Amino acid sequence: MEHLLSIKDLHASINGKEILKGFSLDMKAGEVHAIMGPNGSGKSTLSKVLAGREEYEVTSGTVIYKGENLLEMSPEERAHQGIFMAFQYPVELPGVNNTYFMQASLNAIRKARGEPELNSLNFMKLVRTKLKALEMDENLLKRSVNTGFSGGEMKRNEILQMTLLEPTLSILDETDSGLDIDALKMVSKGVNSLRSPERSMLVITHYQRLLDYIQPDYVHVLSGGRIIRSGDKSLALELEEKGYGWLQQEAAA
Amino acid sequence: MSAALLDYYQTLAANVPNEHAYQAVGKQRLGLVELPNRKQEAWRYTPLAPVLEHQFAAASREEGLLEPADIASLRVTPADHVCVVLLNGFFMPELSTLPAQAGLEVLDLAQAIQTSAVGIERLGSLSGECLHLFGAVNAALTSAGAYIRVTDKLAQPVEIMHINYSFDGEVLSNPRVLVQVEANASLTLLEQHAAFADVLGMHNGVTEIFLGEGAALNHPRLQNDSLRTRHLSSLYIQQAASSVYKGTTLALGSAWSRTEFHLDFSGGHAHCELNGFYLAGEQQMQAMHLDVLHSVPDCSSRESFKGILYGQGKAVFDGNILVKKDAQQTDARLSNDNLVLSREAEIDTKPRLEIYADDVQCSHGTTVGQIDPEMLFYLRARGIPKSAAMGMICQGFAAELIAHCDYPALETKALSILQERLMPVAAAL
């Protein structure tokens, strides 16, 4: 089976400093991959490069998504092609109504795919169902995007967008950071509701905790800008027990 | 040139009969005043050529030029509500909607002068004697405009529609509006300066507002004059004890526009909120000039101004708050935030607090920035194309301020004008 996403020997830098140093990863449709790693290993850089943040410069390597060169696509084209990144730090958009924003997002994607846009009434129906599933307060729809939201509200709002847009490839960038256990369960529930043979997920996290709720097919350890170890979910448990040090030492040896 | 222009306005004034005492003050002042120039602090950053290089002819009452249907499409209030139409500054009863309403008196200013309506002696008492050239011109020439007096808590808003439109060349409109909200009365007064056609004229309006004890006025204003118009609005506001004034001015139109706010408190525990938004694009110049005086204790004021600049737009924010020695327990916050979309645009911002009391809470802050790349990326990552994303960020920036109008129909109108103006700008960025 062809890979949904194939990353080969990726090197990327910001402000002239190389962060990713030969990162490679293959993902098939339906798979959930977890990327774990210590601070500064390149986790966030990876998610930003995949989402299309222009400040990051890819100096070599390839990223093929659905058979096409992902690196040539603008951030919005990537979204149109089914890529969604749940931000580690969602951005506040003062004065931009949350519902209006999500409707604009969904319709921009539908339009790009040649699908009919949803009118406000149908969109509201849709968003209410999704909201209920995540046990979110309807007031969040009336407020400005992420403005004055608590950490937990922001992350739920990310997952709400994810369940609305039904992406083919979801990238969860440290979605668990700053969440209490209830919020973590709710977020995981939303993510798990999207699991299907067509969808893939790249779960980037520092801690094993999230992986109790979102069970990955594969776990990769990122260190120094490349994967130093891959395994199944038992690798995450081993890391939880031993920390990252032993793997880093092995890799250096 | 300067002497010629002064002579010109003096002659204009001399030919106008005195209907009320304040006209004499204006005429006298015209004999003493200098032309506004950039050596004067109040005009330092304001380009003056657009208003000093024209000899605008004094407007006259033009009946039959517009029809009621022309007004209907411009209004933001329901058709049966009070709407005063000032065409080139003149009160037009046949274009206005003037149903009788308990607690509300609306008159042509000329009629209010002739009949010595209640409080008419207040005319000119706030704008005073130290007028600049255009203040003096307004005082000397004007017996036209509107008189509004409120003695009850009014549920229905009152709308004033200013239209500058004439075939008689470059016309100068000089309306004066007198608003008295008596003790414990309240009103929402919506003002629109509507672009009826693409004309070159000058609006030189003065509004004097008196709030009695415990009175409240919500005063949203939308300035959407044609992009060739010169627009000068001077607002003078006096607040008695425990009164609340909330003014939100949205300056979108005009080639050259200056809004002056002069506010003073005469009694304690009064609160004022001055909000302003300006859009300065293409060749536009937008100036906001604040003169807030805290002369008595225990009053609070909030001044929030925001602007979006693009093309060769220029904006001036000159915000002054003066807290006098006796004004203890004053609480004043002034902010000015600017979003600049082009290299050629220019903002001169000068917030200033002058404090002579020692037990006060005052602050001011200014920002000048571009579109935040984090915001832009977030929207694009959600599939929203770059130009639409930029438009949304600008709209959001403005919407926060525009929401202070507390009148959805006016807010919607302002936002749609903004969107129409900004869409091609965002697409070209």
Side-chain angles (χ1 to χ4, degrees):
Chain A
M1 191 179 132
E2 201 187 322
H3 292 123
L4 175 74
L5 179 72
S6 179
I7 306 174
K8 294 232 186 307
D9 195 29
L10 187 65
H11 290 253
S13 50
I14 184 155
N15 299 330
K17 191 183 176 209
E18 188 170 65
I19 309 287
L20 292 182
K21 302 169 182 173
F23 181 93
S24 298
L25 177 73
D26 288 323
M27 283 175 77
K28 289 178 186 155
E31 292 177 349
V32 174
H33 290 239
I35 306 264
M36 299 185 69
N39 290 333
S41 58
K43 299 193 299 292
S44 282
T45 298
L46 175 66
S47 66
K48 282 169 182 154
V49 167
L50 293 179
R53 190 73 204 244
E54 282 154 354
E55 287 80 351
Y56 291 84
E57 191 194 353
V58 173
T59 48
S60 69
T62 57
V63 182
I64 305 298
Y65 170 74
K66 287 184 179 171
E68 290 187 43
N69 182 358
L70 185 75
L71 299 176
E72 283 184 353
M73 296 181 201
S74 67
E76 52 267 42
E77 282 169 330
R78 297 176 199 212
H80 301 160
Q81 294 296 322
I83 292 182
F84 178 91
M85 177 169 83
F87 281 58
Q88 182 181 5
Y89 302 109
V91 180
E92 294 191 14
L93 299 171
V96 180
N97 174 266
N98 204 19
T99 309
Y100 173 75
F101 156 67
M102 287 190 280
Q103 189 182 353
S105 162
L106 181 62
N107 279 338
I109 291 172
R110 293 178 71 103
K111 191 177 167 190
R113 293 176 184 165
E115 296 165 12
E117 297 181 34
L118 287 190
N119 64 24
S120 297
L121 194 68
N122 289 331
F123 179 78
M124 279 312 288
K125 277 186 197 159
L126 179 66
V127 79
R128 284 212 171 93
T129 355
K130 306 287 185 188
L131 201 70
K132 213 168 272 173
L134 288 169
E135 294 179 31
M136 279 173 70
D137 188 345
E138 202 159 302
N139 274 325
L140 291 183
L141 294 177
K142 293 179 193 145
R143 288 162 57 183
S144 294
V145 181
N146 296 324
T147 308
F149 284 26
S150 70
E153 285 172 335
M154 282 195 186
K155 295 298 173 77
R156 285 186 202 213
N157 204 43
E158 292 293 289
I159 302 305
L160 175 63
Q161 293 165 45
M162 182 175 157
T163 59
L164 270 172
L165 301 178
E166 301 184 329
T168 310
L169 173 63
S170 303
I171 303 161
L172 303 177
D173 187 6
E174 306 215 19
T175 296
D176 51 337
S177 67
L179 286 189
D180 62 28
I181 199 75
D182 290 334
L184 188 67
K185 281 181 184 169
M186 203 51 63
V187 160
S188 307
K189 197 177 140 193
V191 172
N192 286 327
S193 73
L194 280 175
R195 287 184 79 152
S196 82
E198 297 84 45
R199 296 188 217 290
S200 303
M201 292 176 191
L202 190 59
V203 181
I204 296 170
T205 181
H206 188 83
Y207 300 104
Q208 188 268 338
R209 193 176 67 151
L210 178 67
L211 305 179
D212 285 342
Y213 301 98
I214 304 171
Q215 301 235 338
D217 300 305
Y218 300 96
V219 173
H220 310 278
V221 179
L222 182 63
S223 179
R226 59 193 185 86
I227 288 176
I228 57 168
R229 177 70 68 97
S230 295
D232 60 17
K233 65 188 174 196
S234 66
L235 178 58
L237 292 169
E238 206 176 344
L239 285 170
E240 177 79 354
E241 201 179 310
K242 300 190 194 166
Y244 290 106
W246 61 283
L247 275 180
Q248 287 171 306
Q249 278 162 17
E250 263 188 37
Chain B
M1 179 213 76
S2 68
L5 193 72
L6 275 175
D7 281 351
Y8 171 75
Y9 284 122
Q10 282 164 7
T11 311
L12 265 188
N15 292 331
V16 173
N18 280 1
E19 306 284 341
H20 60 91
Y22 193 55
Q23 282 179 273
V25 174
K27 287 177 184 180
Q28 193 183 13
R29 185 68 184 162
L30 271 179
L32 301 168
V33 76
E34 267 188 298
L35 285 185
N37 62 71
R38 299 183 79 165
K39 287 183 195 134
Q40 297 160 341
E41 193 58 31
W43 296 92
R44 184 173 300 272
Y45 299 100
T46 309
L48 284 155
V51 289
L52 297 183
E53 287 179 359
H54 286 264
Q55 289 191 351
F56 295 100
S60 53
R61 178 184 287 276
E62 293 186 65
E63 272 151 19
L65 195 60
L66 296 182
E67 293 182 359
D70 297 325
I71 308 303
S73 61
L74 297 170
R75 290 184 63 163
V76 291
T77 52
D80 61 346
H81 285 34
V82 174
C83 178
V84 173
V85 176
L86 299 180
L87 176 59
N88 302 324
F90 291 91
F91 189 109
M92 308 301 279
E94 67 279 16
L95 298 174
S96 304
T97 311
L98 301 165
Q101 206 173 321
L104 174 68
E105 200 176 356
V106 176
L107 296 169
D108 183 342
L109 187 70
Q111 188 194 347
I113 292 166
Q114 279 159 23
T115 58
S116 301
V118 178
I120 196 70
E121 69 282 357
R122 285 169 149 176
L123 203 67
S125 65
L126 292 185
S127 51
E129 295 181 7
C130 294
L131 297 158
H132 56 56
L133 171 70
F134 293 104
V137 168
N138 181 288
L141 296 182
T142 303
S143 57
Y147 166 99
I148 294 173
R149 182 165 174 264
V150 182
T151 52
D152 206 346
K153 292 190 192 318
L154 296 191
Q156 284 192 358
V158 168
E159 183 165 5
I160 299 180
M161 181 82 65
H162 299 265
I163 298 174
N164 295 324
Y165 178 56
S166 175
F167 295 118
D168 295 347
E170 300 176 358
V171 158
L172 178 70
S173 308
N174 286 293
R176 185 169 279 261
V177 177
L178 177 65
V179 180
Q180 302 174 81
V181 185
E182 302 293 358
N184 300 313
S186 67
L187 173 71
T188 290
L189 178 65
L190 298 145
E191 274 191 90
Q192 283 201 73
H193 294 267
F196 190 77
D198 187 23
V199 293
L200 198 167
M202 179 165 178
H203 173 88
N204 178 33
V206 176
T207 302
E208 288 176 290
I209 296 171
F210 295 84
L211 298 188
E213 275 191 34
L217 179 65
N218 182 31
H219 190 197
R221 305 172 66 245
L222 172 60
Q223 186 269 92
N224 187 39
D225 275 327
S226 100
L227 291 174
R228 294 170 69 210
T229 303
R230 281 73 166 127
H231 177 108
L232 175 61
S233 276
S234 301
L235 287 94
Y236 294 87
I237 301 144
Q238 189 175 64
Q239 293 189 241
S242 304
S243 62
V244 177
Y245 175 79
K246 180 175 178 180
T248 306
T249 290
L250 313 174
L252 308 181
S254 296
W256 183 99
S257 166
R258 176 175 162 113
T259 309
E260 296 182 5
F261 302 87
H262 305 270
L263 188 137
D264 193 7
F265 297 97
S266 63
H269 303 285
H271 178 69
C272 118
E273 190 182 318
L274 288 179
N275 305 302
F277 175 80
Y278 42 89
L279 179 66
E282 288 124 41
Q283 316 280 325
Q284 277 181 294
M285 194 294 296
Q286 298 278 5
M288 294 282 181
H289 189 90
L290 271 69
D291 226 332
V292 175
L293 185 60
H294 282 270
S295 46
V296 297
D298 302 316
C299 290
S300 53
S301 68
R302 295 285 178 273
E303 292 81 11
S304 314
F305 285 75
K306 277 186 166 188
I308 296 180
L309 295 94
Y310 65 91
Q312 295 177 23
K314 177 176 164 70
V316 178
F317 176 79
D318 182 14
N320 299 302
I321 298 180
L322 173 62
V323 180
K324 286 197 171 174
K325 190 161 167 272
D326 294 331
Q328 301 295 0
Q329 308 298 327
T330 290
D331 177 357
R333 311 277 160 91
L334 170 69
S335 70
N336 175 229
D337 300 300
N338 299 280
L339 186 55
V340 182
L341 304 179
S342 73
R343 281 178 183 281
E344 296 76 32
E346 182 186 329
I347 165 78
D348 293 297
T349 173
K350 200 183 72 174
R352 197 156 62 103
L353 285 170
E354 205 178 325
I355 303 170
Y356 296 99
D358 53 14
D359 188 11
V360 299
Q361 284 194 313
C362 296
S363 68
H364 67 78
T366 298
T367 64
V368 178
Q370 294 162 289
I371 286 184
D372 181 350
E374 300 279 341
M375 290 185 184
L376 189 60
F377 178 66
Y378 189 70
L379 289 165
R380 295 178 73 193
R382 294 295 177 257
I384 297 166
K386 191 176 174 184
S387 64
M390 288 190 171
M392 276 175 86
I393 294 166
C394 294
Q395 289 277 107
F397 179 81
E400 278 195 308
L401 198 296
I402 291 173
H404 289 299
C405 288
D406 276 341
Y407 199 81
L410 188 72
E411 292 164 30
T412 307
K413 184 169 183 176
L415 283 169
S416 75
I417 295 166
L418 196 64
Q419 183 166 23
E420 205 175 293
R421 292 269 305 275
L422 286 177
M423 225 157 45
V425 179
L429 285 176

